[in-house]
Amino acid sequence: MSSHSPHGQSPLRTVQVLGGGNAGSSAHVRSLAAGLVARGVRVTVCAPAESDHLHDFTGTGADHVPVPRSSDPASVAALRAACADADLVHAHGLHASFRAVLALSGRRTPLVVTWHNRAHAEGARAHLLRLLERRVARAAAVVLGTTSGLVDRARRTGARDARLAAVGLPGPRGTEEDPERPRAKVRAELGAIERPLLMTAGSLDRFCGHDVLLDAARAWNRLDPVPLVVVAGEGPLRPELQHRIEDEGLPVRLLGRRDDVSELLAAADLALLPGAGESRSVLAQEALHARVPLVAARTGGVRELVGDAAELVPPGDAEAFADAVVRLLAAPEHRERLRESGARQAATWPSEDDTVAQVLSVYDELTQPLPMI
C-alpha cells in the first residue's frame, strides 16, 4: 500500500469535501486527514469556515479551503478551483458529494464518496434526494457506505463499485475542560446527585427521535426518584421541544451544543438513542466504549453496529422505549451484562488505523498505473 503517486512523482494530493456535515462525519474527516498526512499524503479539506473552527482540520497538517455548504455557482467554482491539481477527490455525505460531482464535471479526476447516513426528506424533497443519490452513485468511482444498508442502497441506485467502509471512532481531542473531572461533579452540575441520569446527544431535528424521547419521559415522571434526561445538541426544533418540556413538566434538560459530551456520557447511568437518523451512531459507539448501557431504536444500522450489546426497541414506539429504560434502571445485573457485552462488541470495530489503511488502498487502486502485461 502506497501513500504516493506513481514512482518519481510528487506525493499523492487528495481533496476531502465536507458540507458542514454532522459531528460524526466531521470527526471522521479530521481523523482521516490526520492519518493521511502522517503517511505522506497532501490533504486539502474543503468545508465551511465554521467547520474548521469546530474541528481544526488545519491542526492535522491539512490545508483548509473555506467552501460554503451550497450548490450555487460561486461555491461550485470555488470547489472546482480547489480540486484543480488533485489526484483524487473524496466527498463525505450526499450534498457534499453532489457538489463534488458538479465541480469535477468534464475532468477525469477519480471521485470517492462516503455515505455516512441515509439522507431524510419528506414530500417533493424526497424525490429530489433520490435523484441526487442516483447522480452521485453513478458518477463516483467508489462509494463507501458505513453500513451494509447504505452499500446496498448505493448499488440499487447505480454505483459501479460500492463497499462497506471501515470507520473507526476518532479518539477524544483535548478541550479546555478537565478530562479527569469526577463523575460526581458532573452529576452535581447537572442536578442529578440522587437520581438516575439519562443522556442523549444529537441535532434537534425531525429525524433524531426527540418526540419519542419526550413521550417516554412522561412515564419516567412516575418513577421515584424521577430520572433526569439531558440532551446535548442544537437544532431547529429547540423552541418546540422546550415548549413541550415546560408545558408537560417533563424531567428533560436541553443543554445546547456541548464540547464535553464524553464527560456527560461517562457520568450517565444510561445512554439513549431514540431516533433513526444516524446509520452509524457516534453516540452508540461512545456509549459502548465508555461501558454505559444503551437503549436505542432498532434500526438496521444500529443493530449492525451494536449487535446484542444494547437494549433495542421498535423505532417510534415511545411506550417500548420507556419500558426498556424502566427495566434497566431496576436491574443493575442487566446493566452490568450490557457493559461487558458492550466492551466486547466495541473491540470488534475497526480502528482509526484500519480506516486510513482501507481508504489508502482505495486511493491506490484509483491512482496507481496498471502494471504492464
Side-chain angles (χ1 to χ4, degrees):
M1 182 168 53
S2 170
S3 61
H4 299 273
S5 290
H7 182 69
Q9 296 184 19
S10 59
L12 184 72
R13 190 202 166 203
T14 72
V15 174
Q16 307 289 321
V17 184
L18 184 67
N22 59 28
S25 58
S26 299
H28 170 69
V29 170
R30 188 187 193 281
S31 171
L32 186 59
L36 292 173
V37 168
R39 289 160 176 79
V41 178
R42 293 176 57 202
V43 178
T44 297
V45 178
C46 292
E50 60 270 19
S51 292
D52 190 48
H53 299 321
L54 288 171
H55 300 282
D56 190 25
F57 301 120
T58 53
T60 69
D63 295 323
H64 173 246
V65 175
V67 177
R69 189 184 187 278
S70 171
S71 298
D72 64 72
S75 297
V76 173
L79 183 56
R80 185 174 177 85
C83 297
D85 62 343
D87 297 303
L88 180 143
V89 174
H90 189 165
H92 300 265
L94 179 60
H95 294 284
S97 302
F98 179 66
R99 288 194 295 278
V101 170
L102 296 179
L104 294 176
S105 178
R107 294 180 178 175
R108 301 185 65 181
T109 308
L111 173 64
V112 177
V113 166
T114 297
W115 284 358
H116 295 266
N117 297 293
R118 179 179 172 182
H120 292 275
E122 299 170 339
R125 279 185 52 80
H127 177 67
L128 175 61
L129 280 176
R130 287 194 294 271
L131 293 177
L132 294 184
E133 285 180 333
R134 188 176 300 116
R135 176 79 181 273
V136 167
R138 293 178 177 180
V142 176
V143 177
L144 299 173
T146 58
T147 68
S148 57
L150 288 172
V151 173
D152 290 342
R153 188 173 184 84
R155 289 172 178 157
R156 288 196 304 270
T157 52
R160 291 172 282 168
D161 186 341
R163 312 178 192 182
L164 187 63
V167 180
L169 180 67
R173 290 172 51 208
T175 69
E176 295 181 1
E177 298 287 341
D178 179 4
E180 302 301 324
R181 186 157 55 122
R183 182 174 186 268
K185 184 176 180 182
V186 176
R187 293 175 69 97
E189 291 172 355
L190 295 171
I193 297 178
E194 297 182 351
R195 60 194 296 198
L197 178 63
L198 316 180
M199 184 267 180
T200 189
S203 175
L204 305 184
D205 62 34
R206 295 284 176 196
F207 305 102
C208 285
H210 297 299
D211 54 338
V212 173
L213 181 69
L214 297 193
D215 288 345
R218 286 202 296 264
W220 303 332
N221 247 341
R222 298 191 292 269
L223 300 179
D224 184 18
V226 176
L228 173 65
V229 184
V230 294
V231 182
E234 199 52 84
L237 287 189
R238 183 185 180 99
E240 178 181 325
L241 297 174
Q242 188 63 50
H243 183 71
R244 271 199 66 185
I245 291 167
E246 294 171 1
D247 272 7
E248 300 176 30
L250 301 177
V252 180
R253 286 185 57 190
L254 304 181
L255 303 180
R257 188 172 287 110
R258 301 282 294 231
D259 60 4
D260 60 347
V261 170
S262 295
E263 293 179 41
L264 297 174
L265 184 59
D269 296 290
L270 299 177
L272 309 179
L273 190 63
E278 284 189 90
S279 296
R280 189 177 179 89
S281 166
V282 173
L283 178 67
Q285 293 175 77
E286 290 183 337
L288 268 60
H289 272 296
R291 297 171 61 87
V292 178
L294 172 70
V295 180
R298 189 190 295 114
T299 62
V302 169
R303 187 173 61 249
E304 184 177 309
L305 180 66
V306 305
D308 61 358
E311 193 77 14
L312 302 181
V313 301
D317 191 333
E319 182 177 356
F321 198 89
D323 289 346
V325 167
V326 172
R327 287 196 305 272
L328 275 179
L329 290 177
E333 316 83 17
H334 190 185
R335 296 200 301 273
E336 185 57 31
R337 285 196 297 272
L338 287 180
R339 292 187 187 98
E340 295 299 326
S341 59
R344 290 193 297 271
Q345 181 72 8
T348 69
W349 295 335
S351 67
E352 289 184 86
D353 282 344
D354 294 332
T355 302
V356 176
Q358 184 202 35
V359 166
L360 271 177
S361 69
V362 172
Y363 290 0
D364 279 350
E365 286 180 37
L366 298 176
T367 60
Q368 297 289 353
L370 295 174
M372 297 294 290
I373 298 176

